[in-house]
Amino acid sequence: MARIYCIANQKGGVGKTTSTVNLAAGLSRIGQRVLLVDLDPQGNATMGSGVDKRTLPLTVYDVLLENATITEARQRNEKVGYDVLGANRELAGAEIELVALERRDQRLKAALQAVDHEYDFVLIDCPPSLSMLTLNGLCSANGVMVPMQCEYFALEGLSDLVNTIKQVHANLNPELQVIGLLRVMYDPRITLQQQVSDQLKAHFGDKVFDTVIPRNVRLAEAPSHGLPGVIFDPTSRGAVAFIEFAKELVKRVNSDPLFMPRAKTKRSTEPASKKASAKAAPQQA
């Protein structure tokens, strides 16, 4: 049974897609079976995995509308070593089309149930906003991994994301929780980043992953070559860090109950659409 994790952050430009594709490649390099699901209409995770979003015959859009299965829509790039359920600009239309459909927030979850035995990990790259697409990802997942820069405004974005996860956990997916924070684009020479990193460890404790991803030019260059940095330049500091992160994640999964899918709890009979529309009062992260 696959561990299904969203990689999410409601603040854009924090290295979310870079983290997703490089973690997928890192897990593959250490022998894990991985499916990457691109839920962002920009399709950056698709292109960054060596799959041309412009020529895809089927995408996650078709899966969400139940016009295709994941088995039919996924793509395999042997160079990166993992499967990709790709996305392109068609996915933007799914926001409108899903609104009128039944089980609109459970479509991805249902599709993944048919293939989760084929993978060790399913990584879902979410858009940087709370949308119907993001909601499908959160309803499908056992947990959320949050890549974040150690900067002041990143803490505000983290507070918003934690509130969103609490709402989804309470109303739609009782398994959902934050399983870990990944510090990315980290430069230890900057005092503010050291201070924010210390604040994260003090507040979240073991939920902050030990691995730190450094700011690295080779990671930034890799998408222009259509490859994760782990494949583009496996000797670079960024690639080595992501391999270490993949090893840390597997170790935690095998030893920490936090990372295990929890037993299903009985859901309320209140319609999900009604619950999803309710807004919780803001809470401090």
Side-chain angles (χ1 to χ4, degrees), residues 146-214:
V146 185
M148 62 177 295
Q149 294 173 260
C150 291
E151 298 177 354
Y152 174 74
F153 288 123
L155 292 176
E156 290 191 341
L158 178 60
S159 178
D160 293 339
L161 179 61
V162 168
N163 286 333
T164 296
I165 291 169
K166 286 179 179 178
Q167 293 176 45
V168 176
H169 170 86
N171 298 325
L172 297 169
N173 182 4
E175 286 190 53
L176 192 69
Q177 58 190 319
V178 176
I179 63 163
L181 308 179
L182 176 66
R183 292 162 289 172
V184 299
M185 292 185 267
Y186 185 75
D187 188 342
R189 298 169 298 178
I190 300 175
T191 301
L192 176 62
Q193 294 201 4
Q194 294 178 14
Q195 293 172 343
V196 172
S197 177
D198 290 342
Q199 288 180 42
L200 288 173
K201 287 188 287 186
H203 188 77
F204 290 97
D206 291 342
K207 284 194 175 184
V208 180
F209 288 107
D210 295 331
T211 307
V212 177
I213 309 301

Side-chain angles (χ1 to χ4, degrees), residues 6-11 16 38-42 60 64 91-99 104-108 124-140 160-161 164-165 167-168 172 176 276-277 279:
C6 284
I7 290 78
N9 195 319
Q10 289 179 220
K11 186 178 186 300
K16 177 175 55 60
D38 190 351
L39 276 184
D40 193 331
Q42 295 181 84
V60 67
L64 290 173
L91 187 57
E95 288 284 347
I96 299 172
E97 295 179 62
L98 284 170
V99 169
R104 57 181 178 269
D105 53 0
Q106 304 289 330
R107 294 285 177 116
L108 181 60
I124 304 173
D125 186 38
C126 294
S129 61
L130 181 57
S131 62
M132 188 58 65
L133 297 174
T134 303
L135 198 58
N136 262 273
L138 294 177
C139 287
S140 305
D160 293 339
L161 179 61
T164 296
I165 291 169
Q167 293 176 45
V168 176
L172 297 169
L176 192 69
S277 64
K279 277 194 118 174

Side-chain angles (χ1 to χ4, degrees), residues 212-225:
V212 177
I213 309 301
R215 188 175 292 276
N216 183 246
V217 172
R218 299 301 273 173
L219 287 180
E221 292 175 344
S224 66
H225 297 268

